[in-house]
Short mmCIF file of all heavy atoms in Angstrom, two decimals:
data_model
loop_
_atom_site.label_atom_id
_atom_site.label_comp_id
_atom_site.label_asym_id
_atom_site.label_seq_id
_atom_site.Cartn_x
_atom_site.Cartn_y
_atom_site.Cartn_z
N LEU B 195 -42.56 35.55 5.96
CA LEU B 195 -42.80 34.46 5.01
C LEU B 195 -41.99 34.67 3.74
O LEU B 195 -41.52 33.69 3.13
CB LEU B 195 -44.29 34.35 4.69
CG LEU B 195 -45.19 33.97 5.89
CD1 LEU B 195 -46.64 33.80 5.43
CD2 LEU B 195 -44.70 32.71 6.57
N ASP B 196 -41.79 35.92 3.35
CA ASP B 196 -40.98 36.19 2.16
C ASP B 196 -39.51 35.84 2.39
O ASP B 196 -38.78 35.59 1.43
CB ASP B 196 -41.09 37.67 1.78
CG ASP B 196 -42.50 38.05 1.35
OD1 ASP B 196 -43.22 37.17 0.85
OD2 ASP B 196 -42.87 39.23 1.53
N GLU B 197 -39.07 35.85 3.66
CA GLU B 197 -37.67 35.57 3.97
C GLU B 197 -37.37 34.08 4.08
O GLU B 197 -36.20 33.69 4.17
CB GLU B 197 -37.28 36.25 5.28
CG GLU B 197 -37.20 37.76 5.22
CD GLU B 197 -36.77 38.34 6.56
OE1 GLU B 197 -37.62 38.43 7.46
OE2 GLU B 197 -35.59 38.67 6.70
N LEU B 198 -38.39 33.24 4.10
CA LEU B 198 -38.14 31.81 4.30
C LEU B 198 -37.27 31.22 3.19
O LEU B 198 -36.41 30.38 3.45
CB LEU B 198 -39.47 31.05 4.39
CG LEU B 198 -40.37 31.38 5.60
CD1 LEU B 198 -41.59 30.47 5.60
CD2 LEU B 198 -39.61 31.24 6.91
N SER B 199 -37.48 31.66 1.96
CA SER B 199 -36.66 31.12 0.87
C SER B 199 -35.20 31.51 1.04
O SER B 199 -34.30 30.72 0.73
CB SER B 199 -37.18 31.61 -0.48
OG SER B 199 -37.15 33.03 -0.55
N GLU B 200 -34.94 32.71 1.57
CA GLU B 200 -33.56 33.12 1.84
C GLU B 200 -32.94 32.25 2.92
O GLU B 200 -31.75 31.91 2.86
CB GLU B 200 -33.53 34.59 2.26
CG GLU B 200 -32.11 35.12 2.49
CD GLU B 200 -32.08 36.57 2.90
OE1 GLU B 200 -33.16 37.22 2.88
OE2 GLU B 200 -31.00 37.07 3.25
N MET B 201 -33.75 31.87 3.92
CA MET B 201 -33.24 30.99 4.98
C MET B 201 -32.83 29.64 4.41
O MET B 201 -31.79 29.09 4.77
CB MET B 201 -34.32 30.79 6.06
CG MET B 201 -34.71 32.04 6.82
SD MET B 201 -33.31 32.81 7.64
CE MET B 201 -32.79 34.00 6.39
N VAL B 202 -33.65 29.11 3.51
CA VAL B 202 -33.33 27.82 2.89
C VAL B 202 -32.04 27.94 2.08
O VAL B 202 -31.19 27.03 2.10
CB VAL B 202 -34.50 27.33 2.03
CG1 VAL B 202 -34.11 26.10 1.23
CG2 VAL B 202 -35.71 27.02 2.93
N GLU B 203 -31.87 29.05 1.38
CA GLU B 203 -30.63 29.27 0.63
C GLU B 203 -29.42 29.32 1.55
O GLU B 203 -28.31 28.91 1.18
CB GLU B 203 -30.73 30.55 -0.19
CG GLU B 203 -31.71 30.46 -1.34
CD GLU B 203 -31.93 31.80 -2.03
OE1 GLU B 203 -31.25 32.78 -1.63
OE2 GLU B 203 -32.79 31.89 -2.92
N LEU B 204 -29.61 29.82 2.78
CA LEU B 204 -28.52 29.87 3.76
C LEU B 204 -28.23 28.50 4.38
O LEU B 204 -27.21 28.32 5.02
CB LEU B 204 -28.87 30.85 4.89
CG LEU B 204 -28.69 32.33 4.61
CD1 LEU B 204 -29.23 33.16 5.78
CD2 LEU B 204 -27.22 32.66 4.37
N GLY B 205 -29.15 27.56 4.20
CA GLY B 205 -28.96 26.23 4.77
C GLY B 205 -29.77 25.97 6.02
O GLY B 205 -29.54 24.99 6.72
N VAL B 206 -30.74 26.85 6.32
CA VAL B 206 -31.65 26.67 7.45
C VAL B 206 -32.99 26.22 6.89
O VAL B 206 -33.67 26.99 6.21
CB VAL B 206 -31.79 27.96 8.27
CG1 VAL B 206 -32.80 27.78 9.40
CG2 VAL B 206 -30.44 28.41 8.81
N THR B 207 -33.38 24.99 7.17
CA THR B 207 -34.57 24.41 6.53
C THR B 207 -35.65 23.97 7.52
O THR B 207 -36.66 23.40 7.10
CB THR B 207 -34.16 23.20 5.66
OG1 THR B 207 -33.55 22.21 6.50
CG2 THR B 207 -33.20 23.62 4.57
N SER B 208 -35.46 24.23 8.80
CA SER B 208 -36.45 23.85 9.81
C SER B 208 -36.88 25.09 10.57
O SER B 208 -36.04 25.93 10.94
CB SER B 208 -35.87 22.79 10.77
OG SER B 208 -34.53 23.08 11.12
N PHE B 209 -38.20 25.22 10.81
CA PHE B 209 -38.77 26.46 11.31
C PHE B 209 -39.76 26.16 12.44
O PHE B 209 -40.71 25.40 12.26
CB PHE B 209 -39.48 27.20 10.17
CG PHE B 209 -38.58 27.47 9.00
CD1 PHE B 209 -38.50 26.57 7.94
CD2 PHE B 209 -37.79 28.60 8.96
CE1 PHE B 209 -37.67 26.80 6.85
CE2 PHE B 209 -36.94 28.84 7.88
CZ PHE B 209 -36.88 27.95 6.83
N LYS B 210 -39.52 26.79 13.57
CA LYS B 210 -40.33 26.52 14.76
C LYS B 210 -41.35 27.63 14.98
O LYS B 210 -41.02 28.81 14.89
CB LYS B 210 -39.44 26.40 15.99
CG LYS B 210 -40.20 26.10 17.29
CD LYS B 210 -39.24 26.01 18.46
CE LYS B 210 -39.96 25.73 19.77
NZ LYS B 210 -39.02 25.69 20.92
N MET B 211 -42.55 27.20 15.34
CA MET B 211 -43.62 28.14 15.68
C MET B 211 -44.20 27.79 17.04
O MET B 211 -44.38 26.62 17.36
CB MET B 211 -44.69 28.13 14.59
CG MET B 211 -44.22 28.78 13.30
SD MET B 211 -45.25 28.40 11.87
CE MET B 211 -44.67 26.75 11.46
N PHE B 212 -44.47 28.83 17.81
CA PHE B 212 -45.05 28.69 19.15
C PHE B 212 -46.55 28.93 19.06
O PHE B 212 -47.00 29.95 18.52
CB PHE B 212 -44.45 29.71 20.11
CG PHE B 212 -43.02 29.43 20.50
CD1 PHE B 212 -41.98 29.76 19.64
CD2 PHE B 212 -42.72 28.86 21.73
CE1 PHE B 212 -40.66 29.52 20.00
CE2 PHE B 212 -41.40 28.61 22.09
CZ PHE B 212 -40.38 28.94 21.23
N MET B 213 -47.33 28.02 19.65
CA MET B 213 -48.77 28.18 19.71
C MET B 213 -49.19 28.82 21.03
O MET B 213 -50.38 28.85 21.37
CB MET B 213 -49.45 26.82 19.51
CG MET B 213 -49.09 26.17 18.18
SD MET B 213 -49.67 24.46 18.01
CE MET B 213 -51.43 24.74 17.73
N ILE B 214 -48.23 29.35 21.77
CA ILE B 214 -48.45 29.98 23.07
C ILE B 214 -47.42 31.10 23.21
O ILE B 214 -46.51 31.22 22.38
CB ILE B 214 -48.32 28.93 24.20
CG1 ILE B 214 -48.94 29.42 25.51
CG2 ILE B 214 -46.88 28.46 24.38
CD1 ILE B 214 -49.12 28.33 26.55
N ASN B 215 -47.57 31.93 24.23
CA ASN B 215 -46.65 33.04 24.54
C ASN B 215 -46.94 34.29 23.71
O ASN B 215 -46.06 34.90 23.11
CB ASN B 215 -45.17 32.64 24.34
CG ASN B 215 -44.69 31.68 25.41
OD1 ASN B 215 -45.16 31.70 26.54
ND2 ASN B 215 -43.74 30.82 25.05
N ARG B 216 -48.20 34.72 23.74
CA ARG B 216 -48.58 35.95 23.04
C ARG B 216 -47.90 37.17 23.68
O ARG B 216 -47.45 38.08 22.97
CB ARG B 216 -50.10 36.12 23.08
CG ARG B 216 -50.58 37.38 22.37
CD ARG B 216 -52.08 37.57 22.48
NE ARG B 216 -52.82 36.60 21.70
CZ ARG B 216 -53.70 35.74 22.20
NH1 ARG B 216 -53.91 35.69 23.51
NH2 ARG B 216 -54.34 34.90 21.41
N ALA B 217 -47.83 37.20 25.01
CA ALA B 217 -47.28 38.37 25.69
C ALA B 217 -45.84 38.65 25.28
O ALA B 217 -45.39 39.80 25.28
CB ALA B 217 -47.38 38.20 27.21
N ARG B 218 -45.11 37.60 24.93
CA ARG B 218 -43.71 37.77 24.50
C ARG B 218 -43.58 37.90 22.99
O ARG B 218 -42.48 37.85 22.45
CB ARG B 218 -42.89 36.59 25.02
CG ARG B 218 -42.81 36.53 26.55
CD ARG B 218 -42.11 35.26 27.02
NE ARG B 218 -40.74 35.19 26.54
CZ ARG B 218 -39.98 34.09 26.62
NH1 ARG B 218 -40.50 32.97 27.13
NH2 ARG B 218 -38.74 34.10 26.19
N ARG B 219 -44.72 38.05 22.32
CA ARG B 219 -44.77 38.25 20.87
C ARG B 219 -44.12 37.09 20.12
O ARG B 219 -43.51 37.27 19.07
CB ARG B 219 -44.12 39.59 20.50
CG ARG B 219 -44.76 40.78 21.18
CD ARG B 219 -44.06 42.06 20.79
NE ARG B 219 -44.35 42.42 19.40
CZ ARG B 219 -43.68 43.36 18.74
NH1 ARG B 219 -42.68 43.99 19.32
NH2 ARG B 219 -44.01 43.64 17.49
N MET B 220 -44.27 35.91 20.69
CA MET B 220 -43.73 34.70 20.06
C MET B 220 -44.83 33.86 19.41
O MET B 220 -44.57 33.13 18.45
CB MET B 220 -43.01 33.85 21.12
CG MET B 220 -41.80 34.53 21.71
SD MET B 220 -41.23 33.74 23.24
CE MET B 220 -40.75 32.12 22.65
N MET B 221 -46.05 33.96 19.93
CA MET B 221 -47.13 33.08 19.49
C MET B 221 -47.58 33.41 18.07
O MET B 221 -47.58 34.56 17.63
CB MET B 221 -48.30 33.24 20.45
CG MET B 221 -49.55 32.48 20.06
SD MET B 221 -50.96 33.08 20.99
CE MET B 221 -52.26 32.83 19.78
N VAL B 222 -47.99 32.36 17.35
CA VAL B 222 -48.63 32.55 16.05
C VAL B 222 -50.05 32.00 16.13
O VAL B 222 -50.33 31.07 16.88
CB VAL B 222 -47.86 31.84 14.92
CG1 VAL B 222 -46.43 32.37 14.84
CG2 VAL B 222 -47.85 30.32 15.10
N ASP B 223 -50.95 32.61 15.36
CA ASP B 223 -52.33 32.10 15.34
C ASP B 223 -52.46 31.02 14.26
O ASP B 223 -51.52 30.74 13.50
CB ASP B 223 -53.33 33.23 15.15
CG ASP B 223 -53.16 33.99 13.83
OD1 ASP B 223 -52.62 33.41 12.85
OD2 ASP B 223 -53.58 35.16 13.75
N ASP B 224 -53.65 30.42 14.21
CA ASP B 224 -53.84 29.31 13.29
C ASP B 224 -53.68 29.72 11.83
O ASP B 224 -53.18 28.96 11.00
CB ASP B 224 -55.23 28.69 13.49
CG ASP B 224 -55.36 27.98 14.83
OD1 ASP B 224 -54.32 27.79 15.49
OD2 ASP B 224 -56.49 27.62 15.21
N GLY B 225 -54.10 30.95 11.51
CA GLY B 225 -53.99 31.41 10.14
C GLY B 225 -52.54 31.53 9.70
O GLY B 225 -52.18 31.11 8.59
N PHE B 226 -51.70 32.09 10.57
CA PHE B 226 -50.28 32.19 10.23
C PHE B 226 -49.66 30.80 10.16
O PHE B 226 -48.82 30.53 9.30
CB PHE B 226 -49.54 33.05 11.26
CG PHE B 226 -48.07 33.21 10.93
CD1 PHE B 226 -47.65 34.24 10.10
CD2 PHE B 226 -47.12 32.35 11.44
CE1 PHE B 226 -46.30 34.40 9.79
CE2 PHE B 226 -45.77 32.48 11.14
CZ PHE B 226 -45.37 33.51 10.30
N LEU B 227 -50.06 29.93 11.09
CA LEU B 227 -49.53 28.57 11.11
C LEU B 227 -49.78 27.89 9.76
O LEU B 227 -48.88 27.26 9.18
CB LEU B 227 -50.18 27.79 12.25
CG LEU B 227 -49.45 26.58 12.82
CD1 LEU B 227 -48.10 26.97 13.41
CD2 LEU B 227 -50.32 25.93 13.92
N LEU B 228 -51.00 28.03 9.24
CA LEU B 228 -51.33 27.41 7.96
C LEU B 228 -50.54 28.05 6.82
O LEU B 228 -49.97 27.34 5.98
CB LEU B 228 -52.83 27.54 7.69
CG LEU B 228 -53.32 26.99 6.35
CD1 LEU B 228 -53.04 25.49 6.25
CD2 LEU B 228 -54.82 27.27 6.17
#
Side-chain angles (χ1 to χ4, degrees):
L195 296 184
D196 295 332
E197 290 181 281
L198 295 184
S199 59
E200 183 180 353
M201 295 302 93
V202 172
E203 290 173 4
L204 282 174
V206 177
T207 60
S208 41
F209 303 92
K210 181 181 180 182
M211 289 164 281
F212 288 79
M213 301 172 75
I214 197 167
N215 289 330
R216 180 183 289 120
R218 295 174 62 192
R219 302 179 71 192
M220 296 164 64
M221 175 195 148
V222 301
D223 61 25
D224 291 349
F226 181 87
L227 204 61
L228 178 61

